[in-house]
Amino acid sequence: MRKGLRLFWLLLASIAVLSACGAKSQEDVTKGLQKKVVDLKGYKAKAQMTLTVGNEPQSYEIDVWHNKPGDYRVHLKNAKKEQSQMILRNKSGVYVLTPALNKSYRFQSEWPQNSSQAYLYESLVKDVQEDKEAKFKATKDHYVFTTKTRYQNSKMLPTQEIIFKKGSLEPVSVKVMDTNQNPVVTVEFSSVDFSPKFDKGAFDTKKNMTSAQLEIPVMSNNTDSEFTVKYSMADIPGISFEEETAYDTESGKRVLLTYSGEKSFTLIQEMAEVIPTTSMEMVEMNGEMVDLGFAIGAMTEDSITWSEDGINYVLLSSDLSADEMVMVAQSVQGGSIK
């Protein structure tokens, strides 16, 4: 009886040892992710991104294409608002397409290498690789990393939780969190194809503008159109809303919102000019490309400009830090409350 019991416990111990030997460490998984990125020739991914800023969460569909070494196509769509933007990187440069305005903006940018990108696989792996203090745990089906971010406003969004699927190592979800560990940006991947095929011209600027406009037609220029004024939802101590001023211009209404206190900033809003479909406008942008989540903007030392829903926005301040500028711009989509 004792001999049988002893054999039973030895068997259990052997199973435990074998299980431990089969479990991958954080270093093993990190090396596996790095090898996956090196071996990949490209990928296609679909995801849903949710921004929790302001009163109501805003959801966007993201369609990502990447073909090594440097071709990218990221299509950001919000069907409810009937808007879209597309980031293209090809041999000619980095472009942001706004189909509804028939405009293409060209940036002198190192995107996407210059910061974290929650919807790009190789960027997530780089975040894991570069954070030597990253936390790690393994569940039944997933590997979970908690890492620092490399965003322009990393002080406001310092950490993220990245989940990869065991076996395939494909991304499952990403949660980018604020200083209180509340998720501000959530990306949930619905499909990832690590063996994609791309048609000729898949990353061509004109071809992608044309195809995007089949989904979302070019808007009509209407100088009499009214628009809903949006206000900053950012909570920056010592700053409060001061004044709203509206002007009539040749292109329609222009609204200036002034915020003052220990620091100050001005937010300008007006109808965007739509380029006729007979031609496409190419705009050379000064400043660094900044990802606001719901739109792509251009950031200089004292301004951020972007377009959303046919409205141009300009944020001006000589007082705010770069992190605060991005936070204010991201909060404008939160709703029309002062």
Side-chain angles (χ1 to χ4, degrees):
M1 179 69 176
R2 290 181 178 177
K3 186 177 180 180
L5 193 59
R6 188 180 301 165
L7 287 171
F8 174 74
W9 286 113
L10 283 172
L11 181 62
L12 282 182
S14 298
I15 293 173
V17 170
L18 289 172
S19 297
C21 291
K24 291 188 176 182
S25 66
Q26 180 174 348
E27 184 179 2
D28 293 334
V29 177
T30 301
K31 287 182 178 179
L33 288 167
Q34 293 171 4
K35 186 177 186 303
K36 186 85 173 181
V37 169
V38 171
D39 293 343
L40 279 178
K41 294 182 179 180
Y43 62 87
K44 290 183 178 181
K46 292 184 180 294
Q48 178 172 297
M49 179 175 67
T50 302
L51 299 180
T52 309
V53 182
N55 293 335
E56 297 182 3
Q58 305 288 325
S59 294
Y60 301 84
E61 295 177 2
I62 301 178
D63 196 359
V64 180
W65 294 358
H66 174 41
N67 190 31
K68 282 188 175 181
D71 290 337
Y72 286 90
R73 175 187 180 275
V74 178
H75 200 178
L76 178 71
K77 295 179 283 186
N78 185 333
K80 182 179 179 181
K81 292 185 177 182
E82 296 185 345
Q83 68 172 35
S84 78
Q85 275 193 319
M86 184 183 293
I87 310 173
L88 276 178
R89 183 186 178 105
N90 53 37
K91 293 179 181 179
S92 301
V94 178
Y95 302 85
V96 174
L97 310 185
T98 305
L101 301 180
N102 200 28
K103 288 184 178 181
S104 173
Y105 303 89
R106 188 174 187 272
F107 288 84
Q108 299 296 328
S109 175
E110 295 300 317
W111 183 92
Q113 285 78 24
N114 54 353
S115 69
S116 293
Q117 307 293 336
Y119 40 74
L120 296 183
Y121 183 64
E122 64 281 11
S123 178
L124 297 174
V125 173
K126 185 175 182 179
D127 291 340
V128 169
Q129 178 184 355
E130 292 196 353
D131 187 357
K132 305 306 178 184
E133 299 176 353
K135 297 178 181 178
F136 169 81
K137 69 177 181 180
T139 66
K140 180 182 177 182
D141 300 314
H142 302 122
Y143 297 120
V144 184
F145 287 88
T146 302
T147 78
K148 298 173 185 176
T149 68
R150 296 177 293 114
Y151 288 106
Q152 286 110 326
N153 59 333
S154 58
K155 291 181 180 178
M156 305 295 180
L157 301 173
T159 58
Q160 60 187 344
E161 179 191 80
I162 310 169
I163 299 179
F164 299 97
K165 186 179 293 185
K166 283 185 175 180
S168 66
L169 295 180
E170 66 186 69
V172 175
S173 66
V174 182
K175 290 182 180 178
V176 183
M177 291 165 281
D178 62 18
T179 54
N180 295 318
Q181 295 298 296
N182 297 314
V184 176
V185 181
T186 302
V187 178
E188 296 178 323
F189 292 87
S190 56
S191 66
V192 181
D193 180 3
F194 284 136
S195 300
K197 294 182 179 180
F198 298 105
D199 296 332
K200 184 178 179 180
F203 300 92
D204 179 76
T205 307
K206 290 184 179 180
K207 184 175 180 180
N208 276 284
M209 177 68 88
T210 300
S211 63
Q213 288 173 343
L214 293 176
E215 296 183 37
I216 299 177
V218 177
M219 298 171 61
S220 60
N221 270 312
N222 188 347
T223 57
D224 296 326
S225 295
E226 290 291 322
F227 60 86
T228 300
V229 179
K230 292 185 178 180
Y231 303 84
S232 168
M233 304 293 289
D235 184 13
I236 302 178
I239 300 180
S240 59
F241 177 78
E242 180 180 319
E243 185 180 15
E244 176 178 334
T245 307
Y247 301 92
D248 289 325
T249 68
E250 292 182 0
S251 57
K253 183 173 69 172
R254 176 182 297 162
V255 176
L256 276 67
L257 305 179
T258 305
Y259 294 76
S260 61
E262 295 179 12
K263 295 182 179 182
S264 64
F265 63 88
T266 300
L267 179 63
I268 304 172
Q269 305 171 46
E270 62 184 332
M271 293 292 296
E273 180 187 7
V274 180
I275 304 303
T277 55
T278 53
S279 62
M280 179 181 70
E281 182 178 14
M282 180 73 71
V283 182
E284 292 286 342
M285 299 300 292
N286 294 319
E288 182 62 34
M289 191 172 79
V290 58
D291 189 347
L292 303 176
F294 59 89
I296 305 299
M299 185 174 185
T300 66
E301 186 176 348
D302 55 9
S303 72
I304 298 180
T305 60
W306 72 95
S307 297
E308 185 190 14
D309 288 344
I311 308 298
N312 283 338
Y313 296 85
V314 181
L315 173 63
L316 299 168
S317 177
S318 57
D319 299 330
L320 297 179
S321 67
D323 284 346
E324 289 170 335
M325 290 280 283
V326 174
M327 183 175 71
V328 169
Q330 288 178 326
S331 76
V332 172
Q333 60 86 40
S336 55
I337 297 177
K338 302 174 188 179

